[in-house]
C-alpha cells in the first residue's frame, strides 16, 4: 500500500472526476458500499482466486476470546477484494429503495493480499459501472459506450475492447467434444496470449484427446473479422463498433460470468486496463431470485499511468509574507475572488531557493505581500 | 456501516467537492494515505480512547500460523481511526518529497468499532486540513479561515468556533494549585457542558481541595467577552473573528494537543460538527525531530445532515425506448452534447407507474424515442 503525494493525488482526482461526469451524463448514478463485508460473503465462491487474498478483520471483545478458546474462525469481516460482490449484496439489501433498473457507478479502494511486486499495490482503486435489472443487450451496449466515452474523456481514445461470450465458449467446447470439466479447458484457452496456440492445443490434447484439440485449434485460429451471430449486437454501437474485436480465446478468470465478456486494451500497455461482462446469477445468491446484471471495471492505477492529461490548477499564486498575518488573510480572500488559488508562505531567508522550490512544485505566480491589492505586484515563477 | 443510496451519495459528493474547492483555493493540496496502518502505530498512545476501537487485520499465511501456535499478537495491521495519526506518519515518511510547509487536505473514511447506536456509524468520512511545518499562528489563522469558508460554501454560515489553548489551561490549573494529574482535572472541566459548573467544582474539590475548586470556579465563570492575551491572535481574522468565542472549559479529548484547540458548533446541532488544534509533538514520535503542526477536522456525516444544499443534477432526461437500441445509443450522444444527462430506459407496460417512479427519483424530463432528434418531443416529468 502506498501514500499519494500531492501531484499524484491531484492527477488521480482529476481523472476520476472526468470519468464520473462522463458516466453521470449517461444516466449512471453513484452509490457506495462499506469497505468491509461479512467474511462469509467474501468466501462464498463468487470471487474466484481473489477469495484467497482477503485481508480478514479480527473479531472483537468476548467474541474474539470465545473464538480463540474454542478454536473457531477468528475473523468476522474482511476488506472487499472487488466492487462487484458488494454491489450485488447492496442490490439485494436495498432493492425496495432502488430504481427497477439500477445503473450504478462505484469508485473506491479494494484490497488484495498479493505478494508485493513492482507496480502492483495491496490497496488499489477500482471504478466500476454496472447495470442491474436489464436482461437485454441494452446493458452491454450502454456499458461499452460509456466506458469508451470515459476513456476518451481522459485522452485514452486509442483504447479497444476484446469481446467474447461465455455461452459461445460453451457451445464451441461442446462441439469440440469437451463437455466435462469445461472450466479447466477454459483456463487452458485463456493462456493463448501467454503460451501460444501450440501449447494450448497440447494441453487440450493431453486431457481431452487429439480430435478435441484439433477442433479447438481450428476454432481459435479461425478468421475473426466477422462477428459470430451471438455477438452481432455490437454493430448497434455505430462508430464505436470499430473499436471492438471478437477474441475467441477470451475467457476472463472469474467464474461468475454467464454471457458477454469484455477486456479493454491499450496500445503499449502490458496488461488490460479494464474488463467485465454479464453475471446474471450473482444477485440470486443473496436475494433468492436472479437479477440480470452486467458491468465493466476500469483499472484506475494503470489508467493513471497511461493518461497524459495536464493537471489544471487554475492560476496558482504564492504570496510571500512577513509578519502582517491579518493583512495577508484579507489579501488572500481578495485574490481568491479574482480566481487565483492562493498559498500564503512566510518569506524564507534564502528567497532564491524558496522561489525555485515553488516553481518546481508547479506554482505559476508569486508576489511579495503589499499593503493593498493595488500595490501587489504579481510575477511569473517561470 | 452502511450503504449509500444514489441520492445520499450525490449530496455527499457535491458537498465534498465544494469543500475541496474552497480549501484548494487557499493553497491546500490533497494527499492520501492507505486505509490501514501498522498496528503498532495505531496503539502507540497517540490516539487516546480511539485506540481501543481499532478494527484489527489478521496476519496472513505462515505468520498467522506462528502467531496462533505461539500465542502472539494475531494482527499486524489495523483500519485507521482518524486521519491525523496517518498524516504525521506520512509526513515523516515522505518529508524529502514534500514542500517545507505542507498544507494538506485529506478526505477519507475512518473506522471505529463502537457499539452501534443511532446516527453513528462504524465507518464514517472525515475531511481534514492540516498545516505541518508552520510554527506561528499563521497556521491557526489559515485553518480557521479556510474551515469557515468551506462551511459557508455549503450553506452552513451560522457555524461558530469555540477556542481555547492547552497552554492557557495548564497555566490556569497551575494557578489553581493543581499541578499533579492535570489530565484528570481537564477531563473533569471538559464535562462542564454536560454536568454543569456545580458538579465540576465538586469533582475538583474532592480530588484537589476546596481552595483549588474555588479558583477553578472563578476562572470558568469569568466574563469571556474579552480574549485572553494568549489568544489575541484571533483578531487577525478580521470579520471572521466575530464567529469565534473563547471557551475556558474547552479541553478536547485527545492527549496530543499542545496549543490552540478548536471546536466547531452549529445552532441546533446536538454535538460539534468539527474540531482540531495544534499538535506540535506528534510528528516527532515517528520522525525523531518535532515538527510544528495543527489541523481541523470536519465531521462530514453531521454536516451532510445539516446542509440543505440542492443536488444540482443538470438537465436530467429519461428517454423511453423500445427495440431500436442502435438509434437510442446515437440519440443519447446527441442529447449529451446538448447538455442533458440522459438515462435510457425500456418502456414499461405500465407507463404511468414508470413516469411516476422517474419523477419520484428526481428526473426532470422524459421523451419517447423518435427516429431523429428533430422528432423527439421532450416533456416535463413534473
Amino acid at each position: 500500500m502506498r501514500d499519494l503525494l500531492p501531484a499524484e493525488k491531484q492527477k488521480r482526482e482529476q481523472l476520476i472526476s472526468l470519468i464520473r461526469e462522463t458516466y453521470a451524463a449517461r444516466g449512471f448514478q453513484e452509490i457506495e458500499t462499506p469497505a468491509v463485508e461479512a467474511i462469509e460473503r467474501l468466501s462464498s465462491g463468487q470471487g474466484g482466486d481473489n477469495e484467497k487474498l482477503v485481508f480478514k478483520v479480527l473479531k472483537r471483545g468476548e467474541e474474539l476470546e470465545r473464538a480463540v478458546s474454542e478454536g473457531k474462525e477468528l475473523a468476522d469481516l474482511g476488506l472487499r477484494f472487488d466492487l462487484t460482490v458488494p454491489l450485488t449484496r447492496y442490490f439485494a439489501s436495498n432493492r425496495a429503495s432502488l430504481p427497477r433498473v439500477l445503473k450504478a457507478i462505484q469508485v473506491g479502494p479494494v484490497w488484495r493480499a498479493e505478494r508485493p511486486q513492482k507496480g502492483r499495490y495491496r490497496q488499489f482503486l477500482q471504478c466500476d459501472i454496472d447495470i442491474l435489472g436489464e436482461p437485454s443487450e441494452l446493458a452491454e451496449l450502454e456499458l461499452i459506450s460509456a466506458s469508451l466515452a470515459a476513456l476518451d474523456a481522459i485522452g485514452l481514445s486509442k483504447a479497444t475492447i476484446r469481446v467474447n461470450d461465455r455461452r459461445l465458449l460453451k457451445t464451441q467446447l461442446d462441439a469440440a467434444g469437451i463437455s466435462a470439466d469445461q472450466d479447466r479447458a477454459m483456463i487452458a484457452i485463456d493462456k493463448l496470449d501467454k503460451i501460444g496456440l501450440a501449447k494450448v492445443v497440447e494441453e487440450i490434447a493431453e486431457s481431452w484427446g487429439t480430435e478435441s484439440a484439433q477442433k479447438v485449434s481450428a476454432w481459435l485460429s479461425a478468421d475473426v473479422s466477422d462477428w459470430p451471430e451471438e455477438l452481432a449486437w455490437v454493430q448497434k454501437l455505430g462508430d464505436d463498433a470499430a473499436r471492438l474485436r471478437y477474441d475467441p480465446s477470451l475467457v476472463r478468470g472469474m467464474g461468475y460470468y454467464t454471457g458477454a465478456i469484455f477486456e479493454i486494451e491499450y496500445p503499449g500497455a502490458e496488461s488490460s486496463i479494464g474488463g467485465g461482462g454479464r453475471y446474471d446469477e450473482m444477485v440470486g445468491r443473496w436475494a433468492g431470485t436472479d437479477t440480470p446484471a452486467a458491468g465493466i471495471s476500469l483499472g484506475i492505477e494503470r489508467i493513471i499511468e497511461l493518461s497524459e492529461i495536464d493537471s489544471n490548477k487554475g492560476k496558482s499564486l504564492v504570496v510571500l509574507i512577513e509578519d502582517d498575518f491579518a493583512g495577508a488573510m484579507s489579501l488572500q480572500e481578495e485574490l481568491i475572488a479574482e480566481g487565483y488559488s492562493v498559498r500564503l508562505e512566510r518569506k524564507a531567508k534564502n528567497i532564491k531557493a524558496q522561489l525555485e522550490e515553488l516553481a518546481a512544485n508547479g506554482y505559476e505566480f508569486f508576489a511579495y505581500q503589499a499593503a493593498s491589492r493595488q500595490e501587489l505586484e504579481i510575477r511569473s515563477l517561470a
Side-chain angles (χ1 to χ4, degrees), chain A:
Chain A
M1 315 207 193
R2 65 181 168 147
D3 293 326
L4 295 180
L5 293 170
E8 294 166 327
K9 177 69 175 170
Q10 188 178 33
K11 182 176 181 185
R12 170 176 302 229
E13 289 300 321
Q14 198 187 355
L15 291 179
I16 291 169
S17 182
L18 288 167
I19 294 172
R20 272 184 170 136
E21 281 167 27
T22 308
Y23 288 154
R26 282 152 187 82
F28 288 85
Q29 298 178 297
E30 198 162 348
I31 62 135
E32 190 183 309
T33 73
V36 301
E37 290 280 342
I39 198 73
E40 300 78 34
R41 201 168 310 272
L42 299 177
S43 41
S44 63
Q46 292 297 292
D49 281 352
N50 291 334
E51 296 194 352
K52 297 178 196 148
L53 305 176
V54 172
F55 283 103
K56 296 180 180 177
V57 175
L58 212 51
K59 287 176 180 169
R60 296 150 303 281
E62 283 171 21
E63 272 200 77
L64 176 62
E65 282 165 34
R66 207 161 38 234
V68 169
S69 70
E70 295 174 12
K72 285 191 180 157
E73 175 68 74
L74 297 168
D76 58 351
L77 301 167
L79 292 171
R80 64 186 178 200
F81 51 74
D82 74 5
L83 300 177
T84 310
V85 171
L87 173 69
T88 53
R89 195 269 314 144
Y90 172 97
F91 190 76
S93 331
N94 297 288
R95 192 158 208 164
S97 316
L98 293 170
R100 205 174 35 83
V101 177
L102 176 67
K103 307 191 185 188
I105 311 172
Q106 289 186 95
V107 184
V110 302
W111 292 263
R112 294 180 194 166
E114 291 187 271
R115 279 175 204 283
Q117 46 181 307
K118 200 176 161 290
R120 296 195 87 153
Y121 302 97
R122 300 176 126 197
Q123 172 179 330
F124 58 96
L125 201 67
Q126 284 197 333
C127 178
D128 287 16
I129 43 174
D130 294 86
I131 299 182
L132 283 78
E134 176 56 65
S136 80
E137 72 243 25
L138 180 61
E140 281 86 347
L141 291 168
E142 288 207 86
L143 292 167
I144 289 174
S145 165
S147 299
L148 289 173
L151 291 164
D152 290 351
I154 57 172
L156 299 185
S157 52
K158 288 184 197 140
T160 58
I161 304 186
R162 291 188 292 142
V163 184
N164 200 358
D165 192 299
R166 277 288 175 93
R167 290 162 296 192
L168 179 57
L169 270 168
K170 288 211 174 80
T171 311
Q172 288 160 325
L173 287 171
D174 287 342
I178 301 174
S179 52
D181 219 356
Q182 290 193 334
D183 283 354
R184 200 157 53 83
M186 287 198 200
I187 291 169
I189 291 163
D190 196 28
K191 291 188 279 188
L192 184 69
D193 279 355
K194 284 185 192 131
I195 64 174
L197 183 62
K199 288 222 168 128
V200 171
V201 171
E202 201 175 299
E203 271 195 41
I204 298 286
E206 268 170 36
S207 293
W208 290 275
T210 324
E211 201 179 331
S212 289
Q214 277 171 346
K215 287 184 180 162
V216 169
S217 173
W219 140 42
L220 290 180
S221 49
D223 176 24
V224 292
S225 57
D226 283 337
W227 287 97
E229 198 183 333
E230 291 85 346
L231 294 171
W233 55 264
V234 304
Q235 301 299 348
K236 298 185 184 174
L237 285 165
D239 292 346
D240 275 349
R243 296 168 73 178
L244 272 56
R245 182 166 64 82
Y246 166 49
D247 179 352
S249 73
L250 179 65
V251 171
R252 286 189 63 77
M254 308 303 283
Y256 53 64
Y257 290 117
T258 57
I261 45 179
F262 323 113
E263 212 153 277
I264 309 179
E265 292 187 325
Y266 198 78
E270 273 173 40
S271 48
S272 78
I273 61 168
R278 182 169 278 281
Y279 52 97
D280 282 347
E281 287 159 19
M282 209 200 299
V283 176
R285 289 261 170 161
W286 330 123
T289 50
D290 281 348
T291 295
I296 290 185
S297 176
L298 296 181
I300 293 292
E301 311 291 339
R302 285 176 208 154
I303 282 173
I304 287 169
E305 283 168 33
L306 292 170
S307 173
E308 288 174 359
I309 223 155
D310 258 343
S311 297
N312 170 18
K313 284 200 191 62
K315 294 183 291 178
S316 59
L317 167 65
V318 180
V319 179
L320 297 174
I321 68 179
E322 294 188 62
D323 295 326
D324 178 12
F325 295 166
M329 300 300 295
S330 106
L331 207 50
Q332 186 182 39
E333 293 303 320
E334 272 190 81
L335 291 161
I336 289 170
E338 288 178 36
Y340 287 99
S341 87
V342 187
R343 178 181 165 98
L344 300 181
E345 187 153 327
R346 286 202 293 158
K347 206 157 80 181
K349 280 187 186 144
N350 184 341
I351 292 187
K352 188 160 170 286
Q354 187 176 23
L355 294 179
E356 278 167 8
E357 197 206 286
L358 292 170
N361 282 325
Y363 290 97
E364 297 164 276
F365 302 99
F366 80 103
Y368 296 106
Q369 184 179 1
S372 71
R373 172 67 187 91
Q374 288 70 38
E375 290 164 70
L376 195 82
E377 192 187 334
I378 294 175
R379 307 183 219 180
S380 170
L381 268 164

